[in-house]
Amino acid sequence: MAFRNYILVCGGTACESSKAGAIYDALVAECRAQGVSQDVQVVKTGCFGFCEQGPIVKVLPEDSFYVQVKPEDAKEIVSEHIVKGREVRRLLYDKDSSKKHAKVEDIKFYQKQFRIVLRNCGFIDPENIDEYIAREGYVALEKTLFDMTPDDVINELKIAGLRGRGGAGFPTWMKWNFTKQVEADEKYIVCNADEGDPGAYMDRSTLEGDPHSVLEAMTIAGHTVGARQGFIYIRAEYPLAIHRLEVAMKQSREYGLLGKNILGSGFDFDIEIRLGAGAFVCGEETALLASIEGRRGMPVPRPPFPAVRGLWGKPTVINNVETWANIPVIILKGGPWFERIGTPDSHGTKVFALTGKIRNSGLVEVPMGTTLREIIYDVGGGIAHDKEFKAVQTGGPSGGVITKDYLDTPIDFGSLTKLGSMMGSGGMIVMDEDDCIVDVAKFYLNFTVDESCGKCAPCRIGGRSLANILDKITKGNGTLEDLDKMEEIGGAMKKASLCALGQTAPNPILSTVYYFKDEYLAHIVEKRCPAGKCKSLITYSINTEKCIGCTACARKCPVQAITGERRAPHTIDPALCIKCGICLETCKFGAVEVR
Amino acid sequence: MAKMTLEELRKLRDTKKNEIKKRDLSGRDTQIVIGMGTCGIAAGGKIVLDAFLSELELRKIDNVIVTQTGCMGLCYVEPTVEVIAPDMPPVIYGKVDASVVKRIIDEHVVGKQMVSDHVFDRPSADIIKDGGKR
Ligand SMILES: Cc1cc2nc3c(=O)[nH]c(=O)nc-3n(C[C@H](O)[C@H](O)[C@H](O)COP(=O)(O)O)c2cc1C
Ligand code: SF4
Ligand code: SF4
């Protein structure tokens, strides 16, 4: 027999420390005492996120969500909820607490996530078109083919206020409208699935989990602007996404949802996949189009914009995967529905790939206007290993850092730009006290320097000079003039580079210098790396009072830099030490120190 | 299936919706869905899939259908598996390995009990469930 109720007790590491174990025991005991052990199972679960409100107890099937539960509450939960079937109101999460931005009533009150783009990811079998169809798949296409005019579609997108999710946030309806209005014998639809930011995998997951949402959206665009051919430009490093797209396209063709005379409407549309070789710059739209045409992927100056003169000189709508995935839902539920979600500046949701020093890393989709604090602490469960939050990088190599002081900023396109970062495609890398901010800036800059196509001088030469200066600083050879010089070079790159790669490359430096000047000064003036990351600036030593002479580190040291008698304090020879940090990891007595 | 007309597509959608509602997937009442995005596969999703298939065969359990899906968003506890069994709320299990597979079959599928310590919460409500506004 199945149980009538299930009581889920959050047993994540954060809650474990705050008495989840005791609550579990109390609930089990109460169920027994009140004679309902047969009707209910008490289950320990993983972290629900939302740890600030923990420990959390959830009762199924009612889905009651109790927060800050104490072992003493077990009795009432069992006697009221389980026995009498009444929720314990005082423990429910207060649904009205300052929900300024989340204007959509049906966001479940504790769940910060709201999935439009990822609506089917994790629900359907992506290789079975029937499951997509069963979840309202291709209803939007039906509507646009038979019930709406192209202008209706564009108007719906305009009301929705959808802005491109590939980085720049350009209003999608305007792009479509440009292309629609141009007279041309051919027009094209392109999906940008090049996704090259370090730490980003939103688009890959969307294509792997729900390929039909993109195919349906591209077909809708084709019908709206008058194009018959679409291309998906995807990096060859995404074999599973490519496979799922191929399967999806084959099934769509068999069903007559792609190809000639779609659903008997007389409209023809088909899609081809084009593989990219993984150059970051090929994600830039003009470089991408050049690459599809078989030319070398280098940006060209805009205007003319692709919407007017794109692929083979023809008007071309190019949108990002996530932008595409929003479209069927907007058509399905209507522009006003979408417009209500988010902030006045940015509507709808944004998918982030939450990585770095975060407890619950993963893909998250939240309404625009959610704060960084909610994303990091409520959804992400906070910083791993209870370390101190230092900063979060948004916008990948084009973005910047956001510090503790700005955790409560509601995020949208505008607010992130104001903070000196940007939305970018949605990578979100969390840093803790152990991360060196200069090292982080160096990592991103080296990425853009490697990926620069070299076509224009500000990016090619400026990027290299910035990298050299950062390298100097992390080696302890920086000077105060270097800070000014970096700002000067960065400013020139922003103004004079041809494409956004070069224009935004200095952002990680400029923003870290702005928010963490002290840390730069420590490297430059004191020749010290506060986080203990920059190898040239740190020394390893052994605290003779703590060392018990177990010899463990000496045996592990790859260059035999550690010597000492058994049971006597050991020492590290700084001349031999290569600063690999193995001794630090090895010592169980905290005797190895970094300075 | 040959190319469809609008009517046929609508009919297919209604049929499939009902099937999903009844959870009557080719006569089987329990569904095990494995997260098979790149993240899930990298964490061992394929091994889990194989473990389920061979364990179910070994024990001659034939009311269970095993399917795949994309990333559920719980990358930190991959591989993830959703179990939808009659009379029980759907449950997502994380950090699943071969031994957890055995427990899921023993305790959840056969014993109708959730497997403690591996239950995770679905990260969000379903916006499509109630249908689109037509
Ligand atoms: C260096 C560089 C890399 C880019 N990489 C991507 C990418 O990987 N995916 C993407 O969708 N857009 C990328 N973009 C943005 C595109 O140029 C373009 O703005 C986007 O595809 C437009 O689609 P949207 O309006 O839907 O955002 C990149 C831009 C630059 C300058
Ligand atoms: S800014 Fe950099 S990537 Fe862009 S065109 Fe110039 S050299 Fe190439
Ligand atoms: S591992 Fe620690 S305690 Fe053991 S010898 Fe090295 S420094 Fe001393």
PDB file of all heavy atoms in Angstrom, chain A residues 163-170 172 175 192-197 203 280-286 302 318-321 323 499-501, ligand 1:
ATOM      1  N   ARG A 163      13.290  40.731 -25.377  1.00  0.00           N
ATOM      2  CA  ARG A 163      14.586  41.225 -25.851  1.00  0.00           C
ATOM      3  C   ARG A 163      15.537  40.047 -26.024  1.00  0.00           C
ATOM      4  O   ARG A 163      15.474  39.072 -25.297  1.00  0.00           O
ATOM      5  CB  ARG A 163      15.168  42.213 -24.837  1.00  0.00           C
ATOM      6  CG  ARG A 163      14.312  43.463 -24.691  1.00  0.00           C
ATOM      7  CD  ARG A 163      14.774  44.351 -23.558  1.00  0.00           C
ATOM      8  NE  ARG A 163      16.119  44.888 -23.797  1.00  0.00           N
ATOM      9  CZ  ARG A 163      16.707  45.779 -22.987  1.00  0.00           C
ATOM     10  NH1 ARG A 163      16.083  46.210 -21.907  1.00  0.00           N
ATOM     11  NH2 ARG A 163      17.918  46.234 -23.242  1.00  0.00           N
ATOM     12  N   GLY A 164      16.415  40.166 -27.009  1.00  0.00           N
ATOM     13  CA  GLY A 164      17.309  39.051 -27.354  1.00  0.00           C
ATOM     14  C   GLY A 164      18.126  38.570 -26.173  1.00  0.00           C
ATOM     15  O   GLY A 164      18.640  39.365 -25.402  1.00  0.00           O
ATOM     16  N   ARG A 165      18.223  37.254 -26.038  1.00  0.00           N
ATOM     17  CA  ARG A 165      18.931  36.672 -24.899  1.00  0.00           C
ATOM     18  C   ARG A 165      20.389  36.336 -25.203  1.00  0.00           C
ATOM     19  O   ARG A 165      21.072  35.754 -24.387  1.00  0.00           O
ATOM     20  CB  ARG A 165      18.213  35.403 -24.427  1.00  0.00           C
ATOM     21  CG  ARG A 165      16.754  35.595 -24.031  1.00  0.00           C
ATOM     22  CD  ARG A 165      16.604  36.504 -22.833  1.00  0.00           C
ATOM     23  NE  ARG A 165      15.274  36.399 -22.219  1.00  0.00           N
ATOM     24  CZ  ARG A 165      14.418  37.397 -22.129  1.00  0.00           C
ATOM     25  NH1 ARG A 165      14.715  38.583 -22.611  1.00  0.00           N
ATOM     26  NH2 ARG A 165      13.252  37.224 -21.537  1.00  0.00           N
ATOM     27  N   GLY A 166      20.856  36.676 -26.414  1.00  0.00           N
ATOM     28  CA  GLY A 166      22.228  36.321 -26.793  1.00  0.00           C
ATOM     29  C   GLY A 166      23.272  37.281 -26.240  1.00  0.00           C
ATOM     30  O   GLY A 166      24.460  37.038 -26.368  1.00  0.00           O
ATOM     31  N   GLY A 167      22.844  38.367 -25.641  1.00  0.00           N
ATOM     32  CA  GLY A 167      23.809  39.280 -25.049  1.00  0.00           C
ATOM     33  C   GLY A 167      23.388  40.728 -25.118  1.00  0.00           C
ATOM     34  O   GLY A 167      23.325  41.430 -24.115  1.00  0.00           O
ATOM     35  N   ALA A 168      23.042  41.189 -26.317  1.00  0.00           N
ATOM     36  CA  ALA A 168      22.834  42.621 -26.486  1.00  0.00           C
ATOM     37  C   ALA A 168      21.444  43.083 -26.056  1.00  0.00           C
ATOM     38  O   ALA A 168      21.228  44.253 -25.778  1.00  0.00           O
ATOM     39  CB  ALA A 168      23.075  43.012 -27.942  1.00  0.00           C
ATOM     40  N   GLY A 169      20.484  42.179 -26.006  1.00  0.00           N
ATOM     41  CA  GLY A 169      19.161  42.543 -25.515  1.00  0.00           C
ATOM     42  C   GLY A 169      18.361  43.401 -26.477  1.00  0.00           C
ATOM     43  O   GLY A 169      17.529  44.205 -26.067  1.00  0.00           O
ATOM     44  N   PHE A 170      18.571  43.213 -27.769  1.00  0.00           N
ATOM     45  CA  PHE A 170      17.836  43.999 -28.764  1.00  0.00           C
ATOM     46  C   PHE A 170      16.397  43.491 -28.878  1.00  0.00           C
ATOM     47  O   PHE A 170      16.164  42.281 -28.870  1.00  0.00           O
ATOM     48  CB  PHE A 170      18.559  43.884 -30.117  1.00  0.00           C
ATOM     49  CG  PHE A 170      18.080  44.872 -31.126  1.00  0.00           C
ATOM     50  CD1 PHE A 170      18.517  46.194 -31.083  1.00  0.00           C
ATOM     51  CD2 PHE A 170      17.177  44.505 -32.122  1.00  0.00           C
ATOM     52  CE1 PHE A 170      18.071  47.120 -32.005  1.00  0.00           C
ATOM     53  CE2 PHE A 170      16.727  45.429 -33.051  1.00  0.00           C
ATOM     54  CZ  PHE A 170      17.175  46.740 -32.999  1.00  0.00           C
ATOM     55  N   THR A 172      13.259  41.881 -29.991  1.00  0.00           N
ATOM     56  CA  THR A 172      13.126  40.871 -31.036  1.00  0.00           C
ATOM     57  C   THR A 172      12.120  41.292 -32.115  1.00  0.00           C
ATOM     58  O   THR A 172      12.348  41.073 -33.298  1.00  0.00           O
ATOM     59  CB  THR A 172      12.696  39.538 -30.394  1.00  0.00           C
ATOM     60  OG1 THR A 172      13.668  39.213 -29.391  1.00  0.00           O
ATOM     61  CG2 THR A 172      12.632  38.422 -31.420  1.00  0.00           C
ATOM     62  N   LYS A 175      13.696  43.435 -34.910  1.00  0.00           N
ATOM     63  CA  LYS A 175      14.475  42.670 -35.895  1.00  0.00           C
ATOM     64  C   LYS A 175      13.558  42.021 -36.918  1.00  0.00           C
ATOM     65  O   LYS A 175      13.782  42.108 -38.125  1.00  0.00           O
ATOM     66  CB  LYS A 175      15.220  41.538 -35.198  1.00  0.00           C
ATOM     67  CG  LYS A 175      16.509  41.906 -34.571  1.00  0.00           C
ATOM     68  CD  LYS A 175      17.238  40.631 -34.208  1.00  0.00           C
ATOM     69  CE  LYS A 175      18.467  40.974 -33.394  1.00  0.00           C
ATOM     70  NZ  LYS A 175      19.231  39.812 -32.995  1.00  0.00           N
ATOM     71  N   ASN A 192      21.383  31.183 -33.453  1.00  0.00           N
ATOM     72  CA  ASN A 192      22.747  31.274 -32.956  1.00  0.00           C
ATOM     73  C   ASN A 192      22.909  30.341 -31.754  1.00  0.00           C
ATOM     74  O   ASN A 192      22.447  30.628 -30.654  1.00  0.00           O
ATOM     75  CB  ASN A 192      23.041  32.724 -32.562  1.00  0.00           C
ATOM     76  CG  ASN A 192      24.492  32.955 -32.187  1.00  0.00           C
ATOM     77  OD1 ASN A 192      25.226  32.009 -31.924  1.00  0.00           O
ATOM     78  ND2 ASN A 192      24.908  34.209 -32.179  1.00  0.00           N
ATOM     79  N   ALA A 193      23.556  29.194 -32.010  1.00  0.00           N
ATOM     80  CA  ALA A 193      23.802  28.223 -30.937  1.00  0.00           C
ATOM     81  C   ALA A 193      25.301  28.021 -30.785  1.00  0.00           C
ATOM     82  O   ALA A 193      25.792  26.925 -30.605  1.00  0.00           O
ATOM     83  CB  ALA A 193      23.099  26.894 -31.236  1.00  0.00           C
ATOM     84  N   ASP A 194      26.023  29.127 -30.876  1.00  0.00           N
ATOM     85  CA  ASP A 194      27.483  29.025 -30.830  1.00  0.00           C
ATOM     86  C   ASP A 194      28.000  28.985 -29.393  1.00  0.00           C
ATOM     87  O   ASP A 194      29.086  28.476 -29.132  1.00  0.00           O
ATOM     88  CB  ASP A 194      28.116  30.205 -31.573  1.00  0.00           C
ATOM     89  CG  ASP A 194      29.598  29.955 -31.823  1.00  0.00           C
ATOM     90  OD1 ASP A 194      29.907  28.901 -32.397  1.00  0.00           O
ATOM     91  OD2 ASP A 194      30.435  30.785 -31.432  1.00  0.00           O
ATOM     92  N   GLU A 195      27.235  29.539 -28.485  1.00  0.00           N
ATOM     93  CA  GLU A 195      27.531  29.533 -27.036  1.00  0.00           C
ATOM     94  C   GLU A 195      28.982  29.223 -26.659  1.00  0.00           C
ATOM     95  O   GLU A 195      29.329  28.069 -26.431  1.00  0.00           O
ATOM     96  CB  GLU A 195      26.621  28.507 -26.351  1.00  0.00           C
ATOM     97  CG  GLU A 195      26.619  28.687 -24.841  1.00  0.00           C
ATOM     98  CD  GLU A 195      25.555  27.811 -24.209  1.00  0.00           C
ATOM     99  OE1 GLU A 195      25.548  26.582 -24.441  1.00  0.00           O
ATOM    100  OE2 GLU A 195      24.719  28.372 -23.508  1.00  0.00           O
ATOM    101  N   GLY A 196      29.775  30.259 -26.561  1.00  0.00           N
ATOM    102  CA  GLY A 196      31.185  30.018 -26.288  1.00  0.00           C
ATOM    103  C   GLY A 196      31.717  30.593 -24.995  1.00  0.00           C
ATOM    104  O   GLY A 196      32.878  30.395 -24.670  1.00  0.00           O
ATOM    105  N   ASP A 197      30.890  31.272 -24.205  1.00  0.00           N
ATOM    106  CA  ASP A 197      31.391  31.852 -22.952  1.00  0.00           C
ATOM    107  C   ASP A 197      31.856  30.760 -22.009  1.00  0.00           C
ATOM    108  O   ASP A 197      31.172  29.748 -21.858  1.00  0.00           O
ATOM    109  CB  ASP A 197      30.262  32.573 -22.193  1.00  0.00           C
ATOM    110  CG  ASP A 197      29.769  33.787 -22.920  1.00  0.00           C
ATOM    111  OD1 ASP A 197      29.896  33.811 -24.157  1.00  0.00           O
ATOM    112  OD2 ASP A 197      29.236  34.678 -22.249  1.00  0.00           O
ATOM    113  N   ASP A 203      22.234  27.230 -23.514  1.00  0.00           N
ATOM    114  CA  ASP A 203      21.706  26.919 -24.835  1.00  0.00           C
ATOM    115  C   ASP A 203      21.862  25.434 -25.153  1.00  0.00           C
ATOM    116  O   ASP A 203      20.973  24.822 -25.740  1.00  0.00           O
ATOM    117  CB  ASP A 203      22.426  27.764 -25.902  1.00  0.00           C
ATOM    118  CG  ASP A 203      22.120  29.258 -25.732  1.00  0.00           C
ATOM    119  OD1 ASP A 203      21.198  29.576 -24.966  1.00  0.00           O
ATOM    120  OD2 ASP A 203      22.800  30.071 -26.364  1.00  0.00           O
ATOM    121  N   PHE A 280      35.181  31.553 -30.527  1.00  0.00           N
ATOM    122  CA  PHE A 280      34.248  32.392 -29.778  1.00  0.00           C
ATOM    123  C   PHE A 280      33.706  33.517 -30.653  1.00  0.00           C
ATOM    124  O   PHE A 280      32.523  33.851 -30.608  1.00  0.00           O
ATOM    125  CB  PHE A 280      34.977  32.952 -28.553  1.00  0.00           C
ATOM    126  CG  PHE A 280      34.148  33.866 -27.708  1.00  0.00           C
ATOM    127  CD1 PHE A 280      32.974  33.416 -27.117  1.00  0.00           C
ATOM    128  CD2 PHE A 280      34.544  35.176 -27.475  1.00  0.00           C
ATOM    129  CE1 PHE A 280      32.217  34.254 -26.326  1.00  0.00           C
ATOM    130  CE2 PHE A 280      33.794  36.015 -26.678  1.00  0.00           C
ATOM    131  CZ  PHE A 280      32.629  35.559 -26.101  1.00  0.00           C
ATOM    132  N   VAL A 281      34.572  34.099 -31.498  1.00  0.00           N
ATOM    133  CA  VAL A 281      34.163  35.259 -32.285  1.00  0.00           C
ATOM    134  C   VAL A 281      33.074  34.890 -33.292  1.00  0.00           C
ATOM    135  O   VAL A 281      32.304  35.730 -33.734  1.00  0.00           O
ATOM    136  CB  VAL A 281      35.379  35.933 -32.968  1.00  0.00           C
ATOM    137  CG1 VAL A 281      35.843  35.135 -34.169  1.00  0.00           C
ATOM    138  CG2 VAL A 281      35.052  37.365 -33.355  1.00  0.00           C
ATOM    139  N   CYS A 282      32.978  33.613 -33.647  1.00  0.00           N
ATOM    140  CA  CYS A 282      31.942  33.192 -34.587  1.00  0.00           C
ATOM    141  C   CYS A 282      30.541  33.286 -33.996  1.00  0.00           C
ATOM    142  O   CYS A 282      29.549  33.124 -34.704  1.00  0.00           O
ATOM    143  CB  CYS A 282      32.191  31.774 -35.081  1.00  0.00           C
ATOM    144  SG  CYS A 282      33.493  31.710 -36.302  1.00  0.00           S
ATOM    145  N   GLY A 283      30.433  33.543 -32.687  1.00  0.00           N
ATOM    146  CA  GLY A 283      29.123  33.802 -32.091  1.00  0.00           C
ATOM    147  C   GLY A 283      28.633  35.203 -32.412  1.00  0.00           C
ATOM    148  O   GLY A 283      27.448  35.488 -32.310  1.00  0.00           O
ATOM    149  N   GLU A 284      29.548  36.075 -32.779  1.00  0.00           N
ATOM    150  CA  GLU A 284      29.164  37.440 -33.188  1.00  0.00           C
ATOM    151  C   GLU A 284      28.415  37.300 -34.502  1.00  0.00           C
ATOM    152  O   GLU A 284      28.847  36.587 -35.401  1.00  0.00           O
ATOM    153  CB  GLU A 284      30.410  38.312 -33.333  1.00  0.00           C
ATOM    154  CG  GLU A 284      30.138  39.796 -33.416  1.00  0.00           C
ATOM    155  CD  GLU A 284      29.674  40.278 -34.776  1.00  0.00           C
ATOM    156  OE1 GLU A 284      30.018  39.644 -35.789  1.00  0.00           O
ATOM    157  OE2 GLU A 284      28.949  41.266 -34.837  1.00  0.00           O
ATOM    158  N   GLU A 285      27.300  38.007 -34.638  1.00  0.00           N
ATOM    159  CA  GLU A 285      26.383  37.649 -35.722  1.00  0.00           C
ATOM    160  C   GLU A 285      26.949  37.803 -37.126  1.00  0.00           C
ATOM    161  O   GLU A 285      26.721  36.955 -37.980  1.00  0.00           O
ATOM    162  CB  GLU A 285      25.054  38.389 -35.571  1.00  0.00           C
ATOM    163  CG  GLU A 285      25.159  39.895 -35.490  1.00  0.00           C
ATOM    164  CD  GLU A 285      23.816  40.519 -35.107  1.00  0.00           C
ATOM    165  OE1 GLU A 285      22.959  39.821 -34.527  1.00  0.00           O
ATOM    166  OE2 GLU A 285      23.631  41.707 -35.400  1.00  0.00           O
ATOM    167  N   THR A 286      27.740  38.859 -37.361  1.00  0.00           N
ATOM    168  CA  THR A 286      28.245  39.014 -38.734  1.00  0.00           C
ATOM    169  C   THR A 286      29.318  37.962 -39.037  1.00  0.00           C
ATOM    170  O   THR A 286      29.398  37.442 -40.153  1.00  0.00           O
ATOM    171  CB  THR A 286      28.800  40.435 -38.981  1.00  0.00           C
ATOM    172  OG1 THR A 286      29.865  40.683 -38.063  1.00  0.00           O
ATOM    173  CG2 THR A 286      27.722  41.482 -38.802  1.00  0.00           C
ATOM    174  N   ARG A 302      28.800  46.996 -38.788  1.00  0.00           N
ATOM    175  CA  ARG A 302      27.359  47.179 -38.978  1.00  0.00           C
ATOM    176  C   ARG A 302      27.075  48.657 -38.776  1.00  0.00           C
ATOM    177  O   ARG A 302      27.765  49.279 -37.946  1.00  0.00           O
ATOM    178  CB  ARG A 302      26.573  46.374 -37.942  1.00  0.00           C
ATOM    179  CG  ARG A 302      26.823  44.891 -37.981  1.00  0.00           C
ATOM    180  CD  ARG A 302      26.166  44.218 -36.798  1.00  0.00           C
ATOM    181  NE  ARG A 302      26.606  44.798 -35.535  1.00  0.00           N
ATOM    182  CZ  ARG A 302      26.164  44.412 -34.352  1.00  0.00           C
ATOM    183  NH1 ARG A 302      25.267  43.468 -34.249  1.00  0.00           N
ATOM    184  NH2 ARG A 302      26.594  44.979 -33.252  1.00  0.00           N
ATOM    185  N   ILE A 318      18.410  36.796 -37.109  1.00  0.00           N
ATOM    186  CA  ILE A 318      19.279  35.927 -36.311  1.00  0.00           C
ATOM    187  C   ILE A 318      18.967  36.135 -34.838  1.00  0.00           C
ATOM    188  O   ILE A 318      18.953  37.256 -34.347  1.00  0.00           O
ATOM    189  CB  ILE A 318      20.777  36.153 -36.628  1.00  0.00           C
ATOM    190  CG1 ILE A 318      21.660  35.363 -35.670  1.00  0.00           C
ATOM    191  CG2 ILE A 318      21.167  37.610 -36.638  1.00  0.00           C
ATOM    192  CD1 ILE A 318      23.098  35.245 -36.138  1.00  0.00           C
ATOM    193  N   ASN A 319      18.632  35.036 -34.186  1.00  0.00           N
ATOM    194  CA  ASN A 319      18.344  35.084 -32.759  1.00  0.00           C
ATOM    195  C   ASN A 319      19.054  33.960 -32.028  1.00  0.00           C
ATOM    196  O   ASN A 319      19.432  32.949 -32.603  1.00  0.00           O
ATOM    197  CB  ASN A 319      16.823  34.968 -32.500  1.00  0.00           C
ATOM    198  CG  ASN A 319      16.087  36.273 -32.687  1.00  0.00           C
ATOM    199  OD1 ASN A 319      15.133  36.384 -33.451  1.00  0.00           O
ATOM    200  ND2 ASN A 319      16.549  37.294 -31.993  1.00  0.00           N
ATOM    201  N   ASN A 320      19.180  34.182 -30.747  1.00  0.00           N
ATOM    202  CA  ASN A 320      19.828  33.236 -29.859  1.00  0.00           C
ATOM    203  C   ASN A 320      18.862  32.092 -29.493  1.00  0.00           C
ATOM    204  O   ASN A 320      17.644  32.262 -29.535  1.00  0.00           O
ATOM    205  CB  ASN A 320      20.239  34.033 -28.610  1.00  0.00           C
ATOM    206  CG  ASN A 320      20.534  33.168 -27.440  1.00  0.00           C
ATOM    207  OD1 ASN A 320      19.699  32.957 -26.581  1.00  0.00           O
ATOM    208  ND2 ASN A 320      21.734  32.637 -27.405  1.00  0.00           N
ATOM    209  N   VAL A 321      19.399  30.946 -29.135  1.00  0.00           N
ATOM    210  CA  VAL A 321      18.597  29.770 -28.777  1.00  0.00           C
ATOM    211  C   VAL A 321      17.524  30.103 -27.746  1.00  0.00           C
ATOM    212  O   VAL A 321      16.349  29.751 -27.900  1.00  0.00           O
ATOM    213  CB  VAL A 321      19.500  28.647 -28.195  1.00  0.00           C
ATOM    214  CG1 VAL A 321      18.656  27.516 -27.607  1.00  0.00           C
ATOM    215  CG2 VAL A 321      20.448  28.123 -29.256  1.00  0.00           C
ATOM    216  N   THR A 323      16.272  33.003 -26.918  1.00  0.00           N
ATOM    217  CA  THR A 323      15.261  33.898 -27.490  1.00  0.00           C
ATOM    218  C   THR A 323      14.225  33.058 -28.235  1.00  0.00           C
ATOM    219  O   THR A 323      13.017  33.225 -28.049  1.00  0.00           O
ATOM    220  CB  THR A 323      15.908  34.885 -28.480  1.00  0.00           C
ATOM    221  OG1 THR A 323      17.091  35.432 -27.896  1.00  0.00           O
ATOM    222  CG2 THR A 323      14.953  36.005 -28.840  1.00  0.00           C
ATOM    223  N   CYS A 499      34.194  44.983 -33.171  1.00  0.00           N
ATOM    224  CA  CYS A 499      33.028  44.235 -32.684  1.00  0.00           C
ATOM    225  C   CYS A 499      33.014  44.203 -31.170  1.00  0.00           C
ATOM    226  O   CYS A 499      33.957  44.615 -30.506  1.00  0.00           O
ATOM    227  CB  CYS A 499      32.995  42.818 -33.261  1.00  0.00           C
ATOM    228  SG  CYS A 499      33.988  41.630 -32.364  1.00  0.00           S
ATOM    229  N   ALA A 500      31.921  43.658 -30.643  1.00  0.00           N
ATOM    230  CA  ALA A 500      31.730  43.680 -29.198  1.00  0.00           C
ATOM    231  C   ALA A 500      32.767  42.850 -28.457  1.00  0.00           C
ATOM    232  O   ALA A 500      32.982  43.070 -27.268  1.00  0.00           O
ATOM    233  CB  ALA A 500      30.328  43.196 -28.850  1.00  0.00           C
ATOM    234  N   LEU A 501      33.425  41.928 -29.128  1.00  0.00           N
ATOM    235  CA  LEU A 501      34.457  41.154 -28.423  1.00  0.00           C
ATOM    236  C   LEU A 501      35.533  42.098 -27.909  1.00  0.00           C
ATOM    237  O   LEU A 501      35.866  42.110 -26.729  1.00  0.00           O
ATOM    238  CB  LEU A 501      35.059  40.078 -29.339  1.00  0.00           C
ATOM    239  CG  LEU A 501      36.019  39.094 -28.658  1.00  0.00           C
ATOM    240  CD1 LEU A 501      35.902  37.716 -29.264  1.00  0.00           C
ATOM    241  CD2 LEU A 501      37.461  39.553 -28.717  1.00  0.00           C
TER     242      LEU A 501
HETATM  243  C1  LIG C   1      32.300  37.950 -29.480  1.00  0.00           C
HETATM  244  C2  LIG C   1      30.829  37.706 -29.489  1.00  0.00           C
HETATM  245  C3  LIG C   1      30.327  36.436 -29.233  1.00  0.00           C
HETATM  246  C4  LIG C   1      28.969  36.189 -29.264  1.00  0.00           C
HETATM  247  N1  LIG C   1      28.550  34.924 -28.999  1.00  0.00           N
HETATM  248  C5  LIG C   1      27.222  34.663 -29.050  1.00  0.00           C
HETATM  249  C6  LIG C   1      26.759  33.347 -28.817  1.00  0.00           C
HETATM  250  O1  LIG C   1      27.535  32.436 -28.545  1.00  0.00           O
HETATM  251  N2  LIG C   1      25.425  33.104 -28.874  1.00  0.00           N
HETATM  252  C7  LIG C   1      24.538  34.115 -29.173  1.00  0.00           C
HETATM  253  O2  LIG C   1      23.355  33.837 -29.238  1.00  0.00           O
HETATM  254  N3  LIG C   1      24.947  35.363 -29.381  1.00  0.00           N
HETATM  255  C8  LIG C   1      26.268  35.669 -29.341  1.00  0.00           C
HETATM  256  N4  LIG C   1      26.679  36.949 -29.580  1.00  0.00           N
HETATM  257  C9  LIG C   1      25.661  37.982 -29.884  1.00  0.00           C
HETATM  258  C10 LIG C   1      25.288  37.970 -31.344  1.00  0.00           C
HETATM  259  O3  LIG C   1      26.169  38.824 -32.057  1.00  0.00           O
HETATM  260  C11 LIG C   1      23.884  38.486 -31.569  1.00  0.00           C
HETATM  261  O4  LIG C   1      23.724  39.659 -30.859  1.00  0.00           O
HETATM  262  C12 LIG C   1      22.804  37.508 -31.151  1.00  0.00           C
HETATM  263  O5  LIG C   1      22.965  36.299 -31.815  1.00  0.00           O
HETATM  264  C13 LIG C   1      21.462  38.089 -31.487  1.00  0.00           C
HETATM  265  O6  LIG C   1      20.432  37.257 -31.025  1.00  0.00           O
HETATM  266  P1  LIG C   1      19.387  37.775 -29.941  1.00  0.00           P
HETATM  267  O7  LIG C   1      18.823  39.084 -30.411  1.00  0.00           O
HETATM  268  O8  LIG C   1      18.363  36.707 -29.884  1.00  0.00           O
HETATM  269  O9  LIG C   1      20.140  37.943 -28.670  1.00  0.00           O
HETATM  270  C14 LIG C   1      28.054  37.231 -29.543  1.00  0.00           C
HETATM  271  C15 LIG C   1      28.549  38.512 -29.778  1.00  0.00           C
HETATM  272  C16 LIG C   1      29.914  38.758 -29.760  1.00  0.00           C
HETATM  273  C17 LIG C   1      30.407  40.127 -30.016  1.00  0.00           C
END
